[in-house]
Amino acid sequence: MHRRPSVFVVLIALVVILSGSVRAQPTNAERQAVDRFLGRYCLTCHNDTDQAAGLDLESVEIKTLDRHPKTWEKVVRKLAARQMPPPNRKRPGESEFGAVLAAIADPLDRRAAEHPDPGRTETFRRLNRTEYQNAIRDLLGLDVDASTLLPADESSHGFDNITVGDLSPTLLDRYLTAARKISRLALGNPGRSPGGETFRVRPDITQEEHVEGLPIGTRGGTLINYTFPQDGDYEVVVRLTRDRNEHVEGLRETHELEILVDRERRAIFLLQPPRNDGEHQTADLHLKTRLSVSAGPHRVGVTFPKKPSSLPETARQPYQAHYNTHRHPRISPAIYEVSITGPLDSTRLSGTFGPLRFLVRQPIDPTHEDACAREILSRLIRKSYRRPITEEDLQKPMELFHQARAGHSFEDGLEMALAAVLVNPQFLFRIELDPPGSAPGSVYRVSDVALASRLSFFLWSSIPDDELLALAERGELSRPEVLARQVRRMLADPRSRSLVTNFADQWLHLRNLDAITPDLRLFPDFDDNLRQAFRRETESLFEDVILHDRSVLDLLKPGRMELNERLAKHYGIAHIYGSRFRSVPVAPGDRRGGLLREGSILTVTSYATRTSPVIRGKWVLENILGTPPPPPPANVPALKDNTIASHLSVRERLAEHRRNIACAGCHRLMDPVGFALENFDAVGRWRDDEEGRPVDASGGLPDGRSFDGVDGLEKALLDRPELFVTAMTEKLLTFALGRVVGDRDAPAVRKIVHESRRGPYRFSSLILGIASSTPFQMRRSE
């Protein structure tokens, strides 16, 4: 008996015909058969969610893949995620899925290779706040806090380096002010009056235990990295925390307070318990001292010698948080703020910090000043503008040098010239111009100099160093072997940690942690100490993958975890003591290790009062699977907890949205993924029951696979690792390009993922693939 071929086998053959891979062109009858088949199979199998996502095959005339690449890329994405056909329809096996994916994706990839479309990055892209801070560090050797100088940048598509094409008058004024302050600090020039800064400690920090970086045997306080501009005397003033009645918190017995510079004790004070309201007002007025400090960066510590303490005998583990006057008052006094003012008696003959870092040549006498200034500015401008300099680049800075030098010092002239360089558009903006005479819409390779900037801002969020820029100026950087060598060198450089603090913090939503404060009536043991431990744990995991060039799949695998005592107690893990973070192997029953089990992720994807399977499911779909659900329809009411019986579980409460036809399509995708994480509460603690009822952590993925709990979710994700690697590659590429990654970039992403599979999926292979990719090395003219 003749057996009819599988519908997917037919689809493979038809796609091959329609993509022009065989000589014979389909006849009208064959095309009609294709239309009938697609109408019967694909058009009836995609659901309302596909329509909302812009996938409507009914509006596409199927003749060739070449005519509708955007639509077919959506089909590839749906097939790769196994969301087409829907789980409730008859579905092919994995081999057939792979075959049809190859049959559709291969022609798309060949088309992309023959007619590359790298997209277009913006011509002018302003350095965002992080990039500006890092550029100043690498240019002048100054560690400045750009958050005190510039406003936060707006985030778009998950990153703050995309919508940075504008420069408002207000923002320009902030850059001007920052340039004046930085140039003065770089040259070590004193202001008209002593400068100073005040460092305030977050009010929700518990200060009962040791602070990492301060000497063992101390507790609480703060550690400040501060750059002293000159040799001289500086005044340090300390204020203690007070409650709403202006009473000093925790000062019930005698305590000592120390001020240290680079771990050396420079002053010690005695704190006496106040006996009345008046003494509360004056309890810390004597906490000021005048210190002689050399110019340069130092670590200023303010802390308390720790007194012996015993563990209270209680039926339950005592709370670790002590900062809330009414619920968990401070046991001991704590630091509110530290002010550093000075230099108070500095002269221009004293030592300064700035010139030692970048004054490559000092004038012997006034006749040599022009030549010295020109050499210094030439080097600064080359690094600042990130390209070879011209005589025109030097003209204005030298004019300003001469104007400021008249009647003043050589350093005054350089300060004015440096300030001008720091507000020049060539420094503040990354500028990529089309080659002269290029036709609109044509594709070209970016210059080696532009490639150097792309690479350094991708891996370091900063300017190219001398080695990278020299290779670019010689036209050698674009050679594959040279580029690969530089990528590996840059990943091994400490500056690559920006991939942790800048890329990963945004990708994984760790920046949202500072804005998260769970309801203290329900989670009274939450404080900033725990919040920062959450952040440190996740950043350490990502940093370990970079430093040891591990597979990016290790981000999802329970293996090792980074803990200190505070975090270990929160997780219920014994025998971890002290503020120091250390790597701890995951033991059976720990239920920890991997991104999906970390408190940072579980907290930023929860509400203040409860978990949110919706937010958690959406986070996994967007950031781990790369298949974000479509935006919610307009005018859909939020889930109101106060209209639902309080004894119902979150799963039962969310059933309301799934009963709403307008909501059901998206919630069917998100909710089952989030349900798998329900064993973790809103601050990441493990729980077996909720409101006295066993937690139901059964869940599933949009492809129809079902499982139970986080173990099942992790296994499902690792069974098809290419989905996570593709999602991570798209996030890295978005960050690297500073623009949204779209359908035109899909062939490049597939190539990167395919070539990294041999690793398997080592972090460096993804970075090398991006640095060598068409979108990264090419650009479309306007």
Side-chain angles (χ1 to χ4, degrees), residues 73 195 346 638 670 713 734:
E73 286 292 357
S346 175
M670 298 182 293
L713 175 57
T734 299

Side-chain angles (χ1 to χ4, degrees), residues 204-206 208 316-324 327-329 331 517-534 565-572 603 681 683 685:
D204 57 348
I205 288 182
T206 298
E208 304 300 334
R316 301 177 61 182
Q317 176 177 304
Y319 288 126
Q320 302 298 308
H322 294 283
Y323 68 89
N324 186 292
R327 293 193 177 87
H328 306 291
I331 301 173
T517 301
D519 190 323
L520 295 181
R521 293 169 297 182
L522 301 174
F523 307 101
D525 209 22
F526 190 91
D527 57 9
D528 191 63
N529 308 59
L530 184 59
R531 181 188 288 116
Q532 299 310 322
F534 281 166
E565 181 177 357
R566 180 72 177 87
L567 188 57
K569 285 184 175 180
H570 181 74
Y571 288 160
T603 301
D681 70 8
V683 291
R685 296 176 302 192

